Amino acid sequence: MNPQRILIIGGVAAGATAAARARRLSETAEITLVDRGPYVSFANCGLPYFLSGDIQKRSALLLRTPEGFEGRYRVQVRLDTEALEIDREGKRVRVRGPEGEAWMAYDKLILAQGSNPIVPPLPGATLPHAFKLWTVPDMDRLQRFLNEGQAKTAVVAGGGFIGLEMA
Ligand SMILES: Cc1cc2nc3c(=O)[nH]c(=O)nc-3n(C[C@H](O)[C@H](O)[C@H](O)COP(=O)(O)OP(=O)(O)OC[C@H]3O[C@@H](n4cnc5c(N)ncnc54)[C@H](O)[C@@H]3O)c2cc1C
């Protein structure tokens, strides 16, 4: 019998946990995890604390590398790879990655794409000095701007826990 193919879309908290759990449940499954971003399993919770200097090593935010994930869980990780379309009848997902577009076949599909901050449709919301904070690249952009020393004042839009931590 062919091994079961488990395909996971999204590689942060939900996707990475699902991959690790799937491996614990099956020694033989072929598990593949794709994420459209450049990192797998990073600690979003630490992003504000890296910007404040409380966390000093950027590498402390990157909980696992693709190699570490593959070595420990035998999960194939494909980064910078975006899921574009699900063909449920054919049990396959169309993805676009560094090598172009391809269809990936699955027996079980796990969707773990998470969410994104709401950027309100306000004038100026897309200007280069307006930032969102959800991923490591978001944090890097904000830190580059802070390092340039141009910021004199700041407005945090959104008073949830992320906004409060940033303030
Ligand atoms: C700054 C910050 C601080 C936080 N602090 C805390 C905290 O202290 N405590 C707490 O409990 N929670 C905290 N959270 C929330 C927590 O990080 C989220 O609840 C958690 O990341 C959700 O995980 P997720 O895997 O569901 O989704 P996400 O983290 O959103 O990850 C989804 C992944 O899916 C990928 N993806 C999306 N669409 C596609 C596609 N079509 N193809 C391929 N990949 C795709 C994305 O690139 C992303 O990497 C914080 C979040 C942030 C941003």
Side-chain angles (χ1 to χ4, degrees):
M1 221 170 76
N2 289 332
Q4 192 173 58
R5 294 161 303 181
I6 301 175
L7 177 59
I8 302 167
I9 314 290
V12 190
T17 311
R21 178 77 182 137
R23 173 56 69 222
R24 286 195 190 101
L25 293 173
S26 169
E27 274 293 314
T28 54
E30 275 175 17
I31 306 170
T32 308
L33 185 154
V34 306
D35 198 294
R36 67 181 172 196
Y39 300 105
V40 66
S41 186
F42 60 86
N44 338 39
C45 310
L47 304 182
Y49 298 97
F50 179 77
L51 290 167
S52 67
D54 292 294
I55 294 177
Q56 292 187 352
K57 280 194 178 155
R58 187 176 173 285
S59 58
L61 302 170
L62 307 174
L63 304 177
R64 294 215 184 278
T65 59
E67 296 73 31
F69 221 82
E70 287 174 19
R72 175 144 187 206
Y73 296 107
R74 284 182 293 118
V75 170
Q76 218 188 76
V77 177
R78 292 173 59 170
L79 298 178
D80 298 310
T81 301
E82 182 170 21
L84 303 171
E85 179 185 349
I86 301 171
D87 168 10
R88 298 185 84 144
E89 292 266 295
K91 291 202 159 189
R92 55 185 194 154
V93 175
R94 186 162 63 89
V95 299
R96 183 172 47 225
E99 279 142 34
E101 285 194 15
W103 286 96
M104 296 179 71
Y106 65 83
D107 298 303
K108 300 274 186 219
L109 177 65
I110 298 176
L111 299 176
Q113 300 101 313
S115 59
N116 257 312
I118 297 164
V119 179
L122 297 174
T126 55
L127 287 172
H129 57 290
F131 299 91
K132 63 187 179 72
L133 184 69
W134 193 258
T135 64
V136 174
D138 292 342
M139 179 194 79
D140 290 339
R141 269 190 291 277
L142 184 44
Q143 203 203 19
R144 269 196 301 277
F145 182 77
L146 294 174
N147 286 347
E148 286 166 10
Q150 299 177 37
K152 300 282 182 282
T153 58
V155 172
V156 178
F161 72 87
I162 298 172
L164 292 179
E165 285 180 339
M166 278 310 294

XYZ file of all heavy atoms in Angstrom, residues 8 47 54 62 89 91 109 112 117 133 137 145 153 161:
114
model
N 0.028 20.067 4.106
C -0.366 21.119 5.057
C -0.049 22.474 4.435
O 1.079 22.711 3.987
C 0.392 20.955 6.384
C 0.115 19.566 6.980
C -0.013 22.045 7.389
C 1.027 19.176 8.116
N 7.800 39.056 18.356
C 8.151 40.150 17.429
C 8.225 41.511 18.127
O 9.206 42.241 17.964
C 7.174 40.215 16.243
C 6.994 38.936 15.395
C 6.023 39.184 14.235
C 8.311 38.408 14.882
N 14.143 43.636 24.072
C 14.100 42.642 25.160
C 14.597 41.281 24.673
O 15.248 40.551 25.412
C 12.671 42.521 25.704
C 12.244 43.790 26.413
O 12.845 44.096 27.453
O 11.351 44.497 25.898
N 13.121 32.242 15.447
C 12.949 31.203 14.419
C 13.066 29.855 15.110
O 14.162 29.377 15.400
C 13.998 31.375 13.320
C 14.031 32.798 12.723
C 15.184 32.958 11.743
C 12.698 33.149 12.061
N -11.936 17.443 -6.143
C -12.247 16.186 -6.866
C -10.972 15.397 -7.128
O -10.902 14.207 -6.872
C -12.868 16.515 -8.230
C -14.232 17.126 -8.167
C -15.297 16.061 -8.292
O -15.363 15.447 -9.361
O -16.027 15.851 -7.305
N -8.127 15.848 -5.682
C -7.270 15.791 -4.495
C -5.864 16.312 -4.799
O -4.857 15.589 -4.691
C -7.207 14.378 -3.916
C -8.519 13.945 -3.305
C -8.287 12.839 -2.315
C -9.439 12.728 -1.340
N -9.218 11.849 -0.249
N -5.704 16.870 3.366
C -5.244 18.256 3.246
C -5.566 18.991 4.543
O -6.687 18.911 5.044
C -5.969 18.928 2.073
C -5.662 20.410 1.833
C -4.195 20.594 1.431
C -6.578 20.964 0.735
N -4.059 25.603 7.181
C -3.625 26.319 8.395
C -3.039 27.676 7.999
O -1.950 28.049 8.421
C -2.586 25.464 9.148
N -3.427 40.988 9.691
C -4.027 42.165 10.296
C -4.936 42.876 9.290
O -4.652 42.854 8.088
C -2.830 43.064 10.623
C -1.625 42.256 10.403
C -1.992 41.105 9.523
N 2.226 44.329 11.644
C 3.159 43.427 12.327
C 2.507 42.066 12.522
O 1.653 41.907 13.395
C 3.568 44.006 13.687
C 4.619 43.175 14.416
C 5.970 43.247 13.710
C 4.760 43.602 15.869
N 9.225 39.043 8.277
C 9.514 40.114 7.305
C 8.840 41.442 7.673
O 9.434 42.509 7.464
C 8.969 39.551 5.983
C 9.086 38.070 6.147
C 8.779 37.810 7.593
N 13.318 50.621 9.356
C 12.849 52.007 9.424
C 13.288 52.652 10.745
O 13.792 53.775 10.772
C 11.318 52.041 9.282
C 10.737 53.421 9.300
C 10.816 54.234 8.178
C 10.122 53.926 10.434
C 10.279 55.516 8.188
C 9.582 55.200 10.458
C 9.665 55.993 9.330
N 7.825 60.317 16.205
C 6.579 60.017 16.918
C 5.993 58.765 16.294
O 6.354 58.394 15.177
C 5.546 61.158 16.759
O 5.308 61.345 15.356
C 6.025 62.460 17.380
N -4.100 43.191 22.136
C -2.868 42.924 22.892
C -1.605 43.187 22.070
O -0.601 43.645 22.605
C -2.879 41.514 23.520
C -2.710 40.388 22.533
C -1.450 39.947 22.163
C -3.824 39.760 21.993
C -1.288 38.918 21.265
C -3.670 38.722 21.085
C -2.405 38.302 20.719
